[in-house]
Amino acid sequence: FVYFNDDTFLINYVENPIDGVLYGSRNGEPTYGNGNWDGIRGPQIGWYQNTVDELNCESTLICHIPFLEYTKAYEVYKNALNNGDTETLEQCAPIGKCKMGEASGSTLANYGFFDVIKEKGSTKNVICGHDHKNDYSLMYEGVRLTYGLKTGDNCYWGGTGTNGYTEISINSSGNASIDQIYVDPFTI
């Protein structure tokens, strides 16, 4: 089923409606005069909390604007990589090329949504877009934070190497896994 409320939607792709859920949000209105983007807050967080409590199952969240924690996750990963810290690298569990090609376009304000996600414990994966040069999927504080891959050419930068798609696989138990699938746009 699909449910819409305050620019938020819920999609259930599993036969049993309490096995696994994908949440989505159309967050990302340019609400600040200086070109910064807004994030998930207020009514959307309330809707998320109520829905997670009601459904009580593992979930994946898909949103446009990354959280501030995306940058923090990448900093932890990059520091571990630079320092040869294999234990932290294992905890980061990187998927894909794990590169940050541009600064995160996250909201400047922290509305506490990532803390709510951790507190509720339902959402195991968050997938965002917005920053087309970023390609990483990392575990951070118990949640996988993933940049969805750009699917076509002629974006706001030149070059190749980050085209493809982010695959979400949901098994019969409702557990989701993420993979980055790369495609060379010049061979399509």
Side-chain angles (χ1 to χ4, degrees):
F1 63 89
V2 178
Y3 173 74
F4 291 90
N5 181 356
D6 281 342
D7 293 331
T8 306
F9 60 91
L10 168 73
I11 305 170
N12 188 339
Y13 284 104
V14 181
E15 288 180 21
N16 183 342
I18 59 169
D19 280 347
V21 176
L22 297 173
Y23 299 106
S25 173
R26 295 186 316 157
N27 72 320
E29 297 298 320
T31 57
Y32 303 107
N34 60 3
N36 291 310
W37 296 84
D38 205 358
I40 297 173
R41 60 187 171 122
Q44 291 174 317
I45 294 174
W47 178 87
Y48 170 85
Q49 290 172 306
N50 293 336
T51 304
V52 164
D53 288 345
E54 181 182 326
L55 295 177
N56 191 29
C57 64
E58 184 174 307
S59 60
T60 294
L61 174 79
I62 303 168
C63 56
H64 184 77
I65 305 297
F67 310 146
L68 292 170
E69 287 79 6
Y70 271 76
T71 300
K72 294 176 184 177
Y74 190 78
E75 289 170 354
V76 168
Y77 166 75
K78 199 65 173 173
N79 287 336
L81 192 64
N82 291 338
N83 296 323
D85 182 350
T86 55
E87 183 177 337
T88 300
L89 284 173
E90 286 179 23
Q91 292 170 357
C92 290
I95 295 174
K97 295 181 180 180
C98 286
K99 65 177 187 167
M100 179 182 266
E102 64 182 306
S104 176
S106 62
T107 179
L108 298 179
N110 188 338
Y111 299 114
F113 188 46
F114 187 72
D115 290 333
V116 171
I117 288 171
K118 292 188 309 182
E119 174 190 318
K120 292 295 180 182
S122 165
T123 299
K124 307 300 182 193
N125 304 290
V126 178
I127 302 169
C128 75
H130 191 62
D131 304 318
H132 298 262
K133 289 184 178 182
N134 292 339
D135 168 16
Y136 57 89
S137 180
L138 301 166
M139 289 298 295
Y140 182 70
E141 298 185 6
V143 179
R144 177 160 295 282
L145 300 178
T146 302
Y147 269 103
L149 288 179
K150 179 182 86 64
T151 58
D153 61 358
N154 296 322
C155 196
Y156 56 76
W157 83 95
T160 62
T162 55
N163 288 335
Y165 60 95
T166 301
E167 181 179 75
I168 307 167
S169 299
I170 303 174
N171 68 19
S172 61
S173 298
N175 300 320
S177 62
I178 304 295
D179 199 8
Q180 302 286 56
I181 311 299
Y182 297 94
V183 176
D184 181 350
F186 300 106
T187 61
I188 298 176

